[in-house]
Amino acid sequence: MLLIIGFGLHNATEGFGIVGPLAGEENRPSWRYLGLLGLIGGGPTFVGALVGNSFVNDVMFIGFLALAAGSILYVVFQLIRVVAAKATPKR
């Protein structure tokens, strides 16, 4: 339970990073809209922590780890592609 609370508190702050840039817009969004975007950004983590605490299945555990590893690899490959494009001299 301590880990769930800790991860929840840690990930809750990521919502501010997601919606923070919108606060600097010329037409400032409402607090309700910012809250909704924060909930979209951080809500799945909270729900996932609750489900993960009450449901244990080894096959699903391995599947979700594979999904997470694939997501990380996708992002890493995209970053490598962007860096390579920036490092290639223009003709």
Side-chain angles (χ1 to χ4, degrees):
M1 186 58 106
L2 184 62
L3 282 175
I4 292 172
I5 293 170
F7 280 119
L9 290 174
H10 173 267
N11 289 331
T13 59
E14 292 176 3
F16 294 119
I18 294 169
V19 301
L22 293 173
E25 290 289 319
E26 188 173 312
N27 295 328
R28 294 188 73 179
S30 67
W31 282 103
R32 183 177 180 172
Y33 183 70
L34 291 175
L36 176 65
L37 292 179
L39 185 62
I40 291 170
T45 301
F46 179 72
V47 172
L50 291 176
V51 171
N53 187 40
S54 62
F55 180 76
V56 178
N57 183 317
D58 290 338
V59 174
M60 289 188 72
F61 178 71
I62 292 169
F64 283 126
L65 284 179
L67 182 65
S71 299
I72 291 170
L73 283 175
Y74 176 79
V75 170
V76 167
F77 288 140
Q78 292 298 317
L79 290 174
I80 289 171
R81 194 177 67 139
V82 168
V83 170
K86 294 282 186 189
T88 306
K90 302 280 183 195
R91 290 184 181 190

